[in-house]
Amino acid sequence: MDTHRVFGRLLLTGAAGGLGRVLRKRLAPLAHVLRVTDKLEMDPAGPGEEVVVCDLADKDGVHRLVEGVEAVVHFGGVSVESKFEPILQSNILGVFNLYEAVRKHGVKRVVFASSNHVTGYYRQDERIDVEAPVRPDGLYGVSKCFGENLSRFYFDRHGIESVCLRIGSSFPTVKDRRMLATFLSYDDLVELVRCALVAPDVGHSVIFGASDNAVKWWDNAKAAHIGFRPRDTAEVQRARVEATSPPLDPSDPASVYQGGAFVRTGPFDD
Ligand code: NAI
Ligand code: 15L
């Protein structure tokens, strides 16, 4: 792929969400037409946009959604720990529907919003790379492992390329001490998605999504082919965070494991 390319039509899922609203604005220059979708209502279509309300669990709807697109930026889904049923509908069935539609319509590449919670049970004093075995910290993390594995299968079987972004914490500001390690600024997020869309020959790739933070849990050396160079750092927000966010008890699992408070969630079937 040409690293300056403009796509004919790009599909963005999860467009009503926190990151989807950021990407809707910032991905526009990458496509002649940006088709945005969510199960929730979104702002009306602007120039060069198509807006489609669709539940990812609706197979026929997802097949119509994907028709005519060149690449997909898949950010829709349950984004936090939850009961199994909504995760099943959005993150398991929804991702399957998406990949089947992608296969059927000949889409060449998917950028998949995975999560740091696929490896949330590594300790905060460990540093891992993109080949470390997954250690999900809950059902949400397990569902993102499913997405990563499904995308691997669709590459091996059908040659559909995917880049799985194991996003840390992408919010306007650093909200707590854990985020000094996991923070991904919005500018760095947009650059990460751009790189994942345009880098040549990504095959099936996994990359952690964090800014150039001083505290590093993740090593992206084996994902260098994506060409992502973060420019921001959480460190400039450290003084404010330390003044306003007291340290956790060191024996609290949320301060032991990379997944933070996600490792305290559950039970899941009550
Ligand atoms: P969000 O919860 O604000 O947005 C997710 C969007 O997906 C929502 O608008 C929701 O309506 C939509 N959605 C959920 N189920 C759907 C379904 N069945 N059909 C259609 N749309 C559906 O989450 P956020 O923060 O914007 O995250 C976006 C993606 O990035 C998610 O996949 C999340 O797991 C992932 N991610 C985000 C991180 C962050 O720090 N914000 C960190 C790691 C991963
Ligand atoms: C995620 O996967 C979530 O989508 C996001 O809301 C944050 O909780 C983030 O991880 C995090 O670990 O901070």
Side-chain angles (χ1 to χ4, degrees):
M1 279 190 191
D2 171 1
T3 55
H4 298 289
R5 76 171 288 185
V6 176
F7 291 86
R9 183 180 279 103
L10 201 56
L11 173 65
L12 170 66
T13 72
L19 301 186
R21 278 174 305 186
V22 172
L23 293 171
R24 179 175 175 177
K25 285 191 208 124
R26 304 277 301 272
L27 293 183
L30 284 184
H32 294 298
V33 178
L34 184 62
R35 181 178 289 170
V36 299
T37 184
D38 203 286
K39 67 178 181 182
L40 302 179
E41 289 297 327
M42 292 151 282
D43 289 341
E49 284 189 333
E50 296 170 345
V51 175
V52 184
V53 175
C54 176
D55 192 318
L56 292 161
D58 169 10
K59 173 183 161 188
D60 294 339
V62 173
H63 279 253
R64 285 191 298 275
L65 190 60
V66 169
E67 191 169 4
V69 310
E70 271 182 73
V72 179
V73 177
H74 181 48
F75 273 61
V78 173
S79 64
V80 289
E81 193 53 276
S82 150
K83 298 220 178 274
F84 186 61
E85 185 59 30
I87 288 178
L88 175 65
Q89 294 301 319
S90 297
N91 295 15
I92 306 286
L93 183 57
V95 176
F96 173 70
N97 286 341
L98 182 81
Y99 271 89
E100 269 300 284
V102 156
R103 178 188 65 76
K104 186 173 166 193
H105 293 291
V107 178
K108 298 281 183 280
R109 187 175 296 187
V110 178
V111 176
F112 170 59
S114 182
S115 170
N116 72 87
H117 295 287
V118 303
T119 50
Y121 262 120
Y122 285 93
R123 297 173 58 94
Q124 295 188 6
D125 56 14
E126 286 176 281
R127 194 163 181 193
I128 56 172
D129 71 15
V130 300
E131 290 178 358
V134 293
R135 296 181 73 176
D137 57 27
L139 297 181
Y140 166 69
V142 170
S143 76
K144 293 294 185 181
C145 295
F146 173 80
E148 290 194 2
N149 282 340
L150 192 77
S151 61
R152 174 85 239 181
F153 167 63
Y154 274 78
F155 177 65
D156 289 337
R157 179 69 62 88
H158 303 293
I160 297 163
E161 293 193 310
S162 287
V163 182
C164 300
L165 313 178
R166 290 183 180 167
I167 301 168
S169 308
S170 195
F171 295 96
T173 59
V174 176
K175 295 194 280 194
D176 56 29
R177 289 173 186 246
R178 172 177 170 271
M179 273 178 66
L180 291 166
T182 60
F183 182 62
L184 176 68
S185 73
Y186 283 168
D187 283 352
D188 284 339
L189 167 77
V190 171
E191 175 61 5
L192 177 60
V193 172
R194 189 193 69 78
C195 290
L197 277 170
V198 303
D201 303 324
V202 295
H204 181 269
S205 296
V206 173
I207 182 168
F208 285 100
S211 286
D212 187 20
N213 304 325
V215 185
K216 293 189 196 306
W217 295 343
W218 307 316
D219 175 359
N220 271 335
K222 290 176 184 157
H225 57 284
I226 305 297
F228 171 57
R229 305 264 180 283
R231 300 169 72 103
D232 293 323
T233 174
E235 212 52 26
V236 293
Q237 302 186 50
R238 177 180 286 277
R240 175 186 54 78
V241 170
E242 289 186 346
T244 55
S245 166
L248 297 177
D249 182 324
S251 65
D252 183 335
S255 74
V256 173
Y257 297 105
Q258 296 187 3
F262 278 57
V263 304
R264 290 206 223 102
T265 52
F268 301 108
D269 279 337
D270 294 349

